[in-house]
Amino acid sequence: MPKLTIDGIEIEVEPGTTVLQAAEQLGIEIPRFCYHERLSIAGNCRMCLVEVAPGPPKPVASCAMPTADGMIVKTDSPMVRKARKGVMEFILINHPLDCPTCDQGGECDLQDQAMLYGCDRGRFHEEKRGVQDKDFGPLIKNFMTRCILCTRCVRFATEVCGVPDVGAIGRGEHTEITTYLDRALASELSGNLVDLCPVGALTNKPYAFSARSWELRRTESIDVLDAMGCNIRIDTRGSQVMRVLPRVNEDVNEEWISDKSRHACDGLLRQRLDTPYVRRDGQLRPASWAEAFAAIAGRVKGLPGGRIAAIAGDQADCESMVALKDLMTALGSDNLECRQDGARVDPSVRASYLFNSTLAGIEAADALLIIGANPRWEAPVLNARIRKRYLTGKLKTGVVGPRIHLTYRYDHLGEGPAALKEVAAGRHPFFEVMKHAQRPMLILGMGALTRADGGVVLGEACKLAYAAGLIKPDWNGFNVLHTAAARVGGLDLGFVPGRGRGLADLLADAGTGAIEVVYLLGADEMDMTRLGKAFVIYQGHHGDAGAQRADVVLPGAAYTEKDATYVNTEGRVQNTRMATFPPGEAREDWKIVRALSEVLGHRLPFDTLAQVRSRLVQVNPVFAGGEVTHAAWGAFGESGTLDPAPFLSPIQNFYMTDPISRASATMAECTRVFIMAREAQGTGTHG
């Protein structure tokens, strides 16, 4: 391992470490524009120049210079400062003086470095170069005259997104960054380009000219628009969520988030439920909390528990689910369901519904079989991690499901259960690939588990896990990719019906009148017509499908408006934080259930959030910590006949999958540009 000296401090580093990386290990900051630790090295900007000895008496780019034994590096010598000032002067030759109107103001790397290395006057009197703006789509606003050609956006689009639609054309002074085909960048991760851009060339279009960074209050939270639980930062001004940005978490999302997680936040302002409603004369009319609770009590009291059911939606938090479960138990009902899509997972075996390899474990896998899933739409950040592993050349991937563009190459084994059965029986060549892999894994999606034969598909996947050696003392390669943030938490809490029943049974009973009251806890992604004539209580934050069907509406809080617990698809317990207060009369969800329990004569024994969370730990110890709790392995699944129909992803429009994104004007525009326009042209929807 090479030893070198940086600014008089000796350090030993791993072979292949660059000078810039070694300096960072010592806490020495070297300015840079083009370098990014998650992208390939370009060496474009030359801002990271340092003095190195032995060597020629000239500065070198530290981002591209590997360390060597005996090397002596100076990061702040007179030569280095003069060289950086010269580089800054060249960068500013053509950069426009529009900082007062630039959305990057206050968060601009160029501003920060110009304070240190800029000059108070310019020596160039030629006219500044102008560059025509390009079409990056409805999410990215571009001012390409500001571009300093760092090529971060090009490398991100090519390496991380796997959609090489962005590149440089021209030579010398005429070089421009553009989308080659003059069309919107068709990637579900395109919003990350704004974070990567060190100047104001690429900015957040929906957020443009809305606020300055110093006006915003920052709240660290997690995203609940998919099941990954990406770590985010919510920026608010007053009562309004202005933008959502990613936070670094190496084990979950690294530092990326999807475009939906980032840009659907404007849906938090639209179609909100801010007061209770009670249906009178066939119409929902505003009411007080007392009137709403009285209407529920009048219908529920005296009703046998077997005639009451509760269904939790995709964004229900664990506190509200445990409170509702306790209330339903007190009423004598075990008709609970958190799988509103009808997923046939086995709640008795935790390993049967977790992403057991963990999200970070993808980077150790050397064989992967994707069954009935489209990770590019169901979990874009997870798909980027698969691509990251693929680019190392150490991952062989097979897919059972529709042929789609996943941004990496794979072997298409078939479209339906027949191909899965063939692999599980060892009759397909890809079985040998998995059998001889050191870290084989499979990803089972909701497209395979939400079918009527989902339990049988689960059983076949379990057989494959045994036969191909996916289960080892130090490795569990069986993974389920959920699409709902509330799903794993609900299963961990046992929010499932008793006696082997499922969603279809509850809906059938509601349709026949055997179930007379249905409590929808934010459940909107189901066929409301199957509820028949049941009395429906809807508790949620948007006037979506559930609220339209309800007889009583109780306004709840969105994920940005409450301190709540969620469990992601790998079983990691995480918490949202209240960034703004719920609008109007809306309240946090567990508080609503607690207040209702008193009216119904079954007062729940908790009054504070801490007490509710203690109850979570009582129900399941996994809620005691924030780390991934590995689940014990056991046999699961059903035996029976497989439906030959092909697997289909449950997501047909990535940009509208929940009440928040369906209320978002930004997501509606993305749907028009990326879904409807592409379908009309017959070019598909996957880029």
Side-chain angles (χ1 to χ4, degrees):
M1 292 185 15
K3 287 185 179 180
L4 67 157
T5 303
I6 304 178
D7 291 347
I9 305 174
E10 189 173 78
I11 183 175
E12 186 174 8
V13 297
E14 295 289 335
T17 303
T18 65
V19 172
L20 188 150
Q21 292 168 337
E24 284 191 334
Q25 292 180 26
L26 291 174
I28 299 172
E29 184 177 354
I30 296 178
R32 83 293 299 266
F33 293 121
C34 68
Y35 173 80
H36 192 278
E37 55 271 18
R38 302 189 196 278
L39 303 176
S40 61
I41 294 172
N44 292 348
C45 71
R46 319 308 286 181
M47 195 64 202
C48 64
L49 295 174
V50 296
E51 186 177 350
V52 176
K58 64 178 183 179
V60 299
S62 61
C63 69
M65 172 63 70
T67 54
D69 200 45
M71 180 181 282
I72 299 175
V73 179
K74 296 179 181 179
T75 67
D76 199 31
S77 67
M79 176 197 292
V80 169
R81 294 192 65 83
K82 182 179 179 181
R84 291 177 184 170
K85 285 179 179 289
V87 170
M88 178 60 69
E89 188 174 10
F90 274 107
I91 289 176
L92 294 178
I93 289 174
N94 288 310
H95 197 79
L97 300 177
D98 56 1
C99 293
T101 61
C102 177
D103 271 321
Q104 197 81 351
E107 302 173 307
C108 179
D109 293 347
L110 185 59
Q111 281 184 336
D112 296 340
Q113 299 305 330
M115 286 291 293
L116 293 173
Y117 302 104
C119 185
D120 61 350
R121 69 201 66 196
R123 293 184 290 171
F124 292 85
H125 302 288
E126 292 80 8
E127 291 185 1
K128 290 182 179 288
R129 181 185 71 150
V131 180
Q132 186 175 358
D133 293 338
K134 310 300 189 295
D135 178 18
F136 277 79
L139 302 179
I140 300 175
K141 189 177 183 66
N142 63 90
F143 298 87
M144 300 315 294
T145 302
R146 300 172 184 164
C147 179
I148 62 172
L149 301 177
C150 70
T151 69
R152 281 187 181 183
C153 55
V154 177
R155 285 173 283 150
F156 178 80
T158 303
E159 299 166 11
V160 180
C161 296
V163 181
D165 289 349
V166 180
I169 60 173
R171 298 182 66 186
E173 184 184 4
H174 303 291
T175 304
E176 298 181 17
I177 302 296
T178 182
T179 52
Y180 291 122
L181 302 178
D182 193 24
R183 69 177 189 181
L185 178 59
S187 170
E188 298 76 23
L189 298 168
S190 64
N192 294 286
L193 294 178
V194 175
D195 297 335
L196 289 170
C197 185
V199 295
L202 303 177
T203 58
N204 185 329
K205 183 178 284 188
Y207 171 75
F209 310 125
S210 297
R212 287 298 195 181
S213 60
W214 54 83
E215 300 176 328
L216 304 177
R217 185 165 60 90
R218 298 164 174 81
T219 305
E220 295 186 349
S221 188
I222 63 167
D223 173 56
V224 302
L225 300 190
D226 60 30
M228 273 197 65
C230 293
N231 287 224
I232 60 173
R233 191 187 87 194
I234 303 170
D235 287 356
T236 57
R237 185 175 62 185
S239 60
Q240 182 176 348
V241 174
M242 302 301 295
R243 62 179 181 179
V244 172
L245 299 175
R247 286 190 295 126
V248 176
N249 187 322
E250 299 293 347
D251 293 329
V252 182
N253 59 302
E254 298 183 291
E255 61 181 84
W256 318 125
I257 56 173
S258 72
D259 289 348
K260 182 169 55 181
S261 301
R262 183 188 298 268
H263 291 290
C265 59
D266 64 323
L268 294 166
L269 295 174
R270 298 176 174 86
Q271 299 181 19
R272 290 302 304 270
L273 299 173
D274 57 1
T275 189
Y277 289 86
V278 176
R279 190 174 296 277
R280 299 189 183 98
D281 301 325
Q283 291 187 339
L284 286 172
R285 302 183 185 278
S288 66
W289 279 103
E291 291 172 333
F293 285 165
I296 296 172
R299 192 68 178 82
V300 171
K301 283 187 176 180
L303 198 65
R307 293 184 172 273
I308 307 172
I311 301 174
D314 292 351
Q315 295 181 1
D317 58 86
C318 294
E319 287 85 355
S320 61
M321 283 192 286
V322 76
L324 184 56
K325 180 186 177 184
D326 286 350
L327 176 57
M328 295 294 290
T329 301
L331 292 171
S333 174
D334 62 355
N335 295 322
L336 308 171
E337 184 58 275
C338 65
R339 301 163 294 183
Q340 66 168 334
D341 57 4
R344 303 297 184 93
V345 294
D346 188 346
S348 65
V349 181
R350 192 168 191 254
S352 75
Y353 59 81
L354 288 186
F355 203 98
N356 294 284
S357 302
T358 73
L359 302 174
I362 292 172
E363 297 185 28
D366 48 3
L368 169 63
L369 178 61
I370 300 173
I371 306 167
N374 177 2
R376 182 172 173 184
W377 275 8
E378 295 170 24
V381 180
L382 178 146
N383 193 65
R385 210 184 265 269
I386 297 175
R387 174 172 170 78
K388 179 182 178 181
R389 179 60 175 170
Y390 159 78
L391 290 177
T392 66
K394 299 177 181 178
L395 180 67
K396 295 181 179 179
T397 305
V399 170
V400 177
R403 288 183 181 270
I404 49 179
H405 178 34
L406 291 177
T407 73
Y408 42 85
R409 293 182 179 178
Y410 59 83
D411 295 328
H412 188 252
L413 312 185
E415 295 194 351
L420 170 60
K421 195 174 183 67
E422 195 171 330
V423 176
R427 296 192 297 268
H428 194 283
F430 199 81
F431 176 83
E432 295 300 322
V433 173
M434 301 185 71
K435 183 73 173 177
H436 294 98
Q438 296 297 315
R439 291 287 187 271
M441 64 184 292
L442 67 81
I443 296 177
L444 191 60
M446 292 299 106
L449 295 177
T450 55
R451 299 156 43 112
D453 62 346
V456 183
V457 174
L458 182 66
E460 289 295 328
C462 181
K463 293 177 185 177
L464 174 59
Y466 278 114
L470 272 64
I471 314 302
K472 302 179 180 181
D474 60 342
W475 177 258
N476 186 336
F478 183 88
N479 304 293
V480 173
L481 178 58
H482 291 281
T483 57
R487 188 62 45 77
V488 174
L491 293 169
D492 283 344
L493 291 171
F495 203 97
V496 292
R499 304 183 301 279
R501 289 156 56 82
L503 177 71
D505 301 301
L506 298 185
L507 294 179
D509 287 348
T512 61
I515 290 179
E516 299 182 33
V517 175
V518 178
Y519 198 118
L520 300 181
L521 183 61
D524 295 281
E525 318 302 324
M526 48 184 281
D527 186 0
M528 298 298 167
T529 62
R530 298 186 63 187
L531 295 176
K533 298 181 179 180
F535 182 84
V536 177
I537 305 160
Y538 177 79
Q539 178 179 329
H541 43 77
H542 275 75
D544 209 79
Q548 298 297 324
R549 172 60 184 82
D551 295 286
V552 176
V553 174
L554 306 177
Y559 74 103
T560 58
E561 300 159 358
K562 57 187 175 183
D563 296 320
T565 301
Y566 290 86
V567 187
N568 75 348
T569 191
E570 64 180 344
R572 185 183 301 273
V573 179
Q574 301 183 109
N575 299 112
T576 61
R577 296 282 184 262
M578 179 185 288
T580 63
F581 290 101
E585 294 296 315
R587 295 293 182 267
E588 293 180 61
D589 292 284
W590 75 266
K591 293 182 179 179
I592 296 174
V593 179
R594 163 64 181 80
L596 178 60
S597 71
E598 195 157 359
V599 175
L600 296 180
H602 297 281
R603 184 180 181 276
L604 296 176
F606 37 74
D607 299 309
T608 66
L609 180 61
Q611 291 174 340
V612 182
R613 289 183 172 169
S614 295
R615 175 59 181 155
L616 287 175
V617 177
Q618 289 177 7
V619 174
N620 195 326
V622 300
F623 290 97
E627 298 300 318
V628 174
T629 303
H630 296 286
W633 182 256
F636 48 81
E638 303 172 7
S639 59
T641 303
L642 288 168
D643 185 343
F647 296 133
L648 298 174
S649 173
I651 297 179
Q652 301 304 314
N653 179 359
F654 164 75
Y655 299 99
M656 290 188 172
T657 58
D658 57 87
I660 296 175
S661 59
R662 282 193 289 270
S664 166
T666 304
M667 294 296 98
E669 179 63 13
C670 288
T671 298
R672 185 189 68 81
V673 172
F674 295 115
I675 307 297
M676 298 173 63
R678 297 286 173 89
E679 289 179 350
Q681 295 171 4
T683 57
T685 59
H686 289 65

